[in-house]
Amino acid sequence: MKAAETRILELRAELDQHNYRYHVLDEPSIPDVEYDRLFHELKALEAENPHLVTPDSPTQRVGSAVLTAFSKVKHEVPMLSLGNAFEEAALYEFNQRVVQTISPLPNDLFSGVNVEYTCEPKLDGLAVSLLYVDGRLTRGATRGNGTVGEDITENVRTVRNIPLRLMDGGWPSVLEVRGEVFIEKAGFERVNAHQIEIGEKVFANPRNAAAGSMRQLDSKISGRRSLKFCSYGIGQVQRDFADTYYGMLQKLKKWGVPISNKLRLVSDVEGCIAYCRDMSEQRLDLPYEIDGVVFKVNNIASQRELGFRAREPRWAIAYKFPAMEELTELLDVEFQVGRTGAVTPVARLKPVKVAGVTVANATLHNMDEVARLGLMIGDTVIIRRAGDVIPQVVQVVQERRPTHARAVEIPQTCPVCGSQVERTQLIKRSKGKETISEGAVYRCVGRLACGAQLKQAIIHYVSRRAMDIEGLGDKTIEQLVDEKLIGSPADLYKLKYEQIIDLEGFAEISSKKLLKAIDDSKQPTLARFIYALGIPDVGEETAKVLARSLGSLDRVIVALPEVLTYLPDVGLEVAHEIHSFFEDEHNQNVIGALLGECQMELQDTGDLGAEFAASATLGGMLDKLNIPSVGPGAAQKLADKFGTLEAVVKADWLDMRQTLPEKQAQAVRAFFDVAEHAQRALAIEQQLKDFGMHWQSEKKVVEGLPLAGQTWVLTGSLELMSRDVAKEKLEGLGAKVSGSVSAKTHTVVAGPGAGSKLTKANELGLKVLDEEAFVGFLKQQGVEVG
Ligand code: IVH
């Protein structure tokens, strides 16, 4: 076996092992970065050796081509559902039926018989079947109607904790694993936040999100949705491998299949009742949603004896928890103003108890969501709680709409400050064209003149990860703003002892402490300061990137959006947000006051980040301009040929035609014929130059060196410097240093004892320098010697 193949197999085994420890045992043994390193090594090796890629490699979870439809799958063993119990009494009745069947004793003797049960959470997701043939995942299917489901193999492969091949050994050659694909609460929040961001509809609940993701024809989308799998049974098997359900799940776990870490074995129905109570207490704290718990007779021989009734096993039952959904009335929709001015609709509801908690408010996300729900004030709505997050309105009950129902309208002016409310715009740029569409978010244009935004801005400014000013709680900030003691973050630094001590909850010591905390915050790092400014879409990470890449606030302030897009993870939209934040006069005044009167001193490097400096290539920039029909390849050709943007803009037609095919050459011409395009491009180039950057073009750099294109040979012994040093110096001047003499050799440096190479050089009539002449030459070139 070749080295690459051996390493690939090694890496796969190691990654599988780490996946198992992480997903099944919940005991990761290496840090994430190490996992990523191994993963990337495998990816790189597979990219170099595509014939060695196999479908069960850990790299093959990315999703594949988009399908037009799912094919059908017949379940050899039907996929059943469960009978439900809603009260504890129903569990005792279930137990009674089980006992009567498996130990047919006279009635009065039943009371002493105990049946062992397994207890598991009832996950709220999508039931799936995974078929392993010879230990390899060969098919994934939905339950469908229980007899026929859909083939979702490509999608299940993207679920990270589903093993692509089984571990250990001893598994039956055919093994159908069954279980639930679900999404955790945090993943659900993320998916919905993303849906909102891309203007798509939100999922009403985690079950819909999981099911929707699994039934995606584009498996790349499923792959992005942080789904998980948990097994609770098997379908067809080539041979039995356990006597008990508990034992069976332990075997599955050993083979790398995830099972619930809440699985318990109890000795009787009382144990089930205790489990119910315990889980219903834990319910809200679990990282995933459960709609109940499931009890199963542990002994498999007993399960067989009990059999089925219609489509439900007689050996299992689901105890359902109270629903997290309820019906109530939408009394009104109010609008809240956030830190960045976003005006968000909030539902005021007729208070209703949902799983033990009274709910009176629900989030409506944005006006697109209101429109999607078709919501009107007065409607009866279904609301839903999920974990600790604010309840959501899931659906309108159309049939119950009253005649007096009113439309929800976005206010024209800000409910807090009365400024104009404007709809945000989405800017997309493609093929040289900017398209502006309407965003889902409305914003109050009042910025810090708006009390709501000011309060939020200051709460953010003083927060721990921003300026970290201790002792300034939300209530105090509200009071300071309401009493007009502060109108911007800069005013914090002007607060006087007499003003603070008058605030609610402040005394002598706390007032002095606060003044000191404010004073101590005057030397923040540039990254903290940028984050503290609260620029829309600029979180801590982006703030760090801005600080590291641009090195000074002055550069951040003037940076053009296109220049900002050179920064890692900064897209055009964020770049525009940053740019327009600093163009705003009010923001400029606040920053001016902070750095001026307030004597804030930012800790910055003043230098451009090396990564940023290296990322600016002329080819990349030409590509960024989105000239129609000019892709990265053509952009690079232009860069190689012309070297500067100015030269591209001014290029004559002949030169352009020599560089690109006619159609592309024309497109470049037409693009720069528009004065605005040319000016904009030149302004970007100028700004990069002002920032101290120069185009990185390897070819240009080498061409510019005096010995570029020449081959030199060193022979004999050198006394004033070692061979290595001589070689280094020549290469520094752009020469290539070779070990053999040929007609292509430019110059030979010959020290004492030179033999055949010198003879050959003389024969060929090449230029030969002795060491003294060589040193003289180097000095002439400005190279220091000795
Ligand atoms: S056992 C023959 N166990 O609930 C028994 N189902 O209402 C088959 N579910 O379709 C199911 N957690 O999607 C079982 N621990 C669990 C479960 C579970 C969730 C789902 C499953 C099933 C439905 C039945």
Side-chain angles (χ1 to χ4, degrees):
M1 225 188 289
K2 282 206 236 77
E5 192 172 357
T6 316
R7 183 68 185 143
I8 284 177
L9 294 180
E10 248 172 47
L11 285 167
R12 282 183 196 156
E14 195 173 341
L15 287 166
D16 280 349
Q17 189 63 37
H18 292 311
N19 268 325
Y20 173 67
R21 293 190 66 103
Y22 186 91
H23 291 297
V24 182
L25 301 183
D26 214 4
E27 295 169 348
S29 52
I30 50 166
D32 290 356
V33 285
E34 176 65 6
Y35 182 91
D36 291 345
R37 200 185 58 73
L38 297 169
F39 188 86
H40 284 120
E41 188 186 344
L42 176 61
K43 245 189 131 152
L45 277 175
E46 288 182 342
E48 281 167 27
N49 302 280
H51 60 288
L52 297 178
V53 178
T54 57
D56 60 5
S57 169
T59 58
Q60 301 302 300
R61 288 186 185 273
V62 283
S64 62
V66 180
L67 303 176
T68 47
F70 294 111
S71 50
K72 300 277 179 240
V73 167
K74 182 167 182 322
H75 298 299
E76 292 303 322
V77 178
M79 289 181 80
L80 305 170
S81 69
L82 292 169
N84 292 323
F86 295 95
E87 289 135 24
E88 291 181 358
L91 287 181
Y92 286 111
E93 285 161 23
F94 163 75
N95 179 59
Q96 186 85 359
R97 287 195 300 273
V98 170
V99 173
Q100 275 174 2
T101 312
I102 62 178
S103 51
L105 294 170
N107 254 343
D108 52 338
L109 291 175
F110 285 142
S111 52
V113 178
N114 289 333
V115 178
E116 227 179 23
Y117 290 103
T118 58
C119 318
E120 292 159 284
K122 186 168 189 301
L123 295 162
D124 208 3
L126 180 77
V128 299
S129 134
L130 307 172
L131 185 65
Y132 288 88
V133 177
D134 293 328
R136 280 167 208 275
L137 176 65
T138 53
R139 193 197 69 193
T142 61
R143 174 172 181 267
N145 63 9
T147 317
V148 179
E150 285 175 322
D151 187 326
I152 51 160
T153 311
E154 288 313 319
N155 293 348
V156 297
R157 295 172 61 80
T158 66
V159 178
R160 304 240 157 232
N161 71 345
I162 291 182
L164 299 177
R165 56 179 179 179
L166 298 178
M167 318 223 337
D168 214 17
W171 15 264
S173 61
V174 174
L175 170 64
E176 185 195 343
V177 174
R178 290 184 176 171
E180 200 88 347
V181 167
F182 62 101
I183 190 164
E184 292 195 339
K185 290 171 187 169
F188 173 66
E189 293 297 312
R190 269 201 306 275
V191 167
N192 268 355
H194 179 70
Q195 293 291 101
I196 290 171
E197 212 177 285
I198 61 170
E200 289 284 327
K201 72 177 182 78
V202 296
F203 291 103
N205 54 46
R207 182 184 57 245
N208 287 0
S213 307
M214 273 294 98
R215 297 199 66 259
Q216 268 290 335
L217 289 164
D218 182 354
S219 46
K220 289 200 176 64
I221 297 181
S222 338
R224 278 185 234 124
R225 298 250 172 103
S226 48
L227 298 161
K228 290 203 167 183
F229 173 76
C230 176
S231 172
Y232 49 67
I234 52 171
Q236 54 167 325
V237 273
Q238 172 250 345
R239 63 176 163 79
D240 290 341
F241 55 88
D243 299 332
T244 61
Y245 176 75
Y246 192 84
M248 179 186 88
L249 288 187
Q250 296 308 324
K251 284 250 169 92
L252 290 183
K253 181 174 177 181
K254 186 162 76 87
W255 296 332
V257 177
I259 61 169
S260 174
N261 60 359
K262 298 284 173 195
L263 171 74
R264 299 283 178 272
L265 184 61
V266 295
S267 51
D268 56 17
V269 67
E270 295 303 334
C272 297
I273 303 284
Y275 185 82
C276 270
R277 293 180 186 165
D278 184 26
M279 289 305 284
S280 93
E281 257 173 45
Q282 289 186 38
R283 182 184 189 188
L284 294 180
D285 300 328
L286 292 175
Y288 43 83
E289 287 228 341
I290 62 173
D291 55 350
V293 285
V294 181
F295 301 111
K296 293 172 188 163
V297 171
N298 188 35
N299 188 298
I300 291 181
S302 302
Q303 286 189 2
R304 295 217 169 102
E305 207 180 327
L306 284 153
F308 302 91
R309 189 184 58 111
R311 305 201 66 78
E312 290 164 11
R314 286 205 188 86
W315 43 265
I317 193 159
Y319 176 86
K320 295 290 266 295
F321 289 154
M324 297 297 266
E325 291 182 355
E326 226 0 300
L327 281 178
T328 188
E329 199 182 309
L330 177 67
L331 301 176
D332 200 1
V333 173
E334 287 174 11
F335 290 85
Q336 271 176 359
V337 185
R339 171 165 66 82
T340 59
V343 178
T344 312
V346 180
R348 302 286 177 227
L349 306 163
K350 187 168 164 194
V352 62
K353 269 206 163 179
V354 188
V357 174
T358 305
V359 173
N361 303 310
T363 170
L364 289 166
H365 302 295
N366 56 44
M367 289 307 284
D368 280 5
E369 181 65 4
V370 171
R372 190 187 70 77
L373 289 164
L375 192 65
M376 293 182 83
I377 296 162
D379 270 340
T380 295
V381 292
I382 301 176
I383 55 156
R384 150 167 241 291
R385 280 179 63 208
D388 302 332
V389 296
I390 317 167
Q392 275 193 54
V393 174
V394 179
Q395 205 188 307
V396 170
V397 185
Q398 291 289 345
E399 308 81 71
R400 297 211 197 162
R401 174 163 291 164
T403 46
H404 63 265
R406 299 185 275 127
V408 180
E409 271 162 39
I410 183 91
Q412 306 274 301
T413 54
C414 171
V416 179
C417 73
S419 302
Q420 205 63 30
V421 168
E422 283 177 2
R423 189 164 194 168
T424 51
Q425 295 181 329
L426 294 176
I427 309 161
K428 281 211 181 88
R429 218 181 253 186
S430 141
K431 297 283 156 246
K433 267 195 219 137
E434 257 186 22
T435 40
I436 298 181
S437 57
E438 290 190 320
V441 176
Y442 286 79
R443 256 196 212 154
C444 156
V445 300
R447 301 227 176 189
L448 296 190
C450 170
Q453 289 181 67
L454 177 61
K455 283 175 191 169
Q456 292 297 323
I458 300 211
I459 291 172
H460 173 77
Y461 183 84
V462 306
S463 64
R464 202 167 56 78
R465 309 194 79 93
M467 303 300 276
D468 194 18
I469 301 178
E470 234 182 282
L472 254 186
D474 297 2
K475 286 271 167 299
T476 309
I477 292 172
E478 277 183 24
Q479 211 186 334
L480 286 167
V481 171
D482 289 342
E483 291 178 18
K484 304 232 170 340
L485 291 173
I486 51 174
S488 84
D491 292 343
L492 285 173
Y493 299 90
K494 298 174 197 157
L495 282 175
K496 300 266 174 324
Y497 176 80
E498 303 75 47
Q499 294 172 316
I500 298 177
I501 201 156
D502 278 350
L503 296 171
E504 240 168 73
F506 279 82
E508 205 174 303
I509 295 181
S510 49
S511 302
K512 280 187 184 151
K513 253 186 154 174
L514 177 57
L515 276 176
K516 182 168 183 311
I518 294 174
D519 202 52
D520 284 350
S521 74
K522 284 187 178 171
Q523 277 133 16
T525 61
L526 176 58
R528 261 185 194 269
F529 183 74
I530 295 172
Y531 174 62
L533 290 176
I535 306 166
D537 290 340
V538 176
E540 241 184 317
E541 273 318 303
T542 309
K544 280 185 193 160
V545 166
L546 283 165
R548 192 177 64 219
S549 305
L550 298 177
S552 78
L553 186 67
D554 290 343
R555 291 201 195 99
V556 177
I557 290 176
V558 297
L560 294 168
E562 291 87 345
V563 171
L564 290 169
T565 61
Y566 276 109
L567 272 52
D569 292 330
V570 175
L572 199 56
E573 224 141 285
V574 179
H576 274 285
E577 286 286 8
I578 298 169
H579 188 67
S580 64
F581 181 90
F582 290 110
E583 270 193 328
D584 179 88
E585 207 185 311
H586 188 85
N587 292 338
Q588 284 171 4
N589 290 341
V590 173
I591 294 169
L594 285 169
L595 300 177
E597 304 147 57
C598 308
Q599 295 174 326
M600 189 159 265
E601 277 173 42
L602 305 185
Q603 311 295 306
D604 61 37
T605 60
D607 296 328
L608 279 192
E611 197 189 348
F612 174 54
S615 67
T617 63
L618 178 56
M621 140 127 200
L622 284 163
D623 188 30
K624 269 185 204 297
L625 293 176
N626 267 318
I627 305 170
S629 75
V630 174
Q636 194 52 51
K637 276 191 202 149
L638 288 172
D640 290 345
K641 168 81 180 183
F642 296 103
T644 68
L645 185 69
E646 203 177 341
V648 179
V649 173
K650 293 188 178 149
D652 71 35
W653 176 243
L654 211 65
D655 278 349
M656 189 64 81
R657 267 300 282 124
Q658 277 173 355
T659 319
L660 293 179
E662 187 160 357
K663 189 170 158 254
Q664 287 180 331
Q666 266 170 357
V668 176
R669 246 307 137 75
F671 183 83
F672 287 120
D673 274 350
V674 179
E676 224 175 84
H677 289 165
Q679 276 162 13
R680 185 80 189 161
L682 291 171
I684 299 168
E685 185 174 56
Q686 187 56 47
Q687 176 157 88
L688 290 168
K689 277 189 195 156
D690 292 346
F691 282 4
M693 289 170 63
H694 44 82
W695 296 124
Q696 303 274 321
S697 159
E698 268 181 46
K699 197 158 154 258
K700 274 265 153 327
V701 175
V702 177
E703 268 178 5
L705 291 172
L707 306 188
Q710 299 180 8
T711 304
W712 285 51
V713 174
L714 301 165
T715 181
S717 58
L718 299 179
E719 280 153 11
L720 298 171
M721 68 184 92
S722 71
R723 268 258 197 125
D724 281 346
V725 171
K727 184 166 180 249
E728 209 173 274
K729 301 212 182 275
L730 284 168
E731 284 172 348
L733 292 168
K736 200 175 144 218
V737 178
S738 161
S740 59
V741 175
S742 77
K744 290 199 179 123
T745 307
H746 187 277
T747 304
V748 175
V749 178
S756 61
K757 287 183 195 169
L758 178 60
T759 318
K760 193 165 176 193
N762 285 330
E763 276 169 17
L764 291 168
L766 301 176
K767 187 170 161 191
V768 177
L769 300 177
D770 62 15
E771 193 174 11
E772 202 180 317
F774 175 54
V775 170
F777 169 80
L778 289 178
K779 284 189 178 154
Q780 214 183 356
Q781 296 294 328
V783 177
E784 273 186 42
V785 181

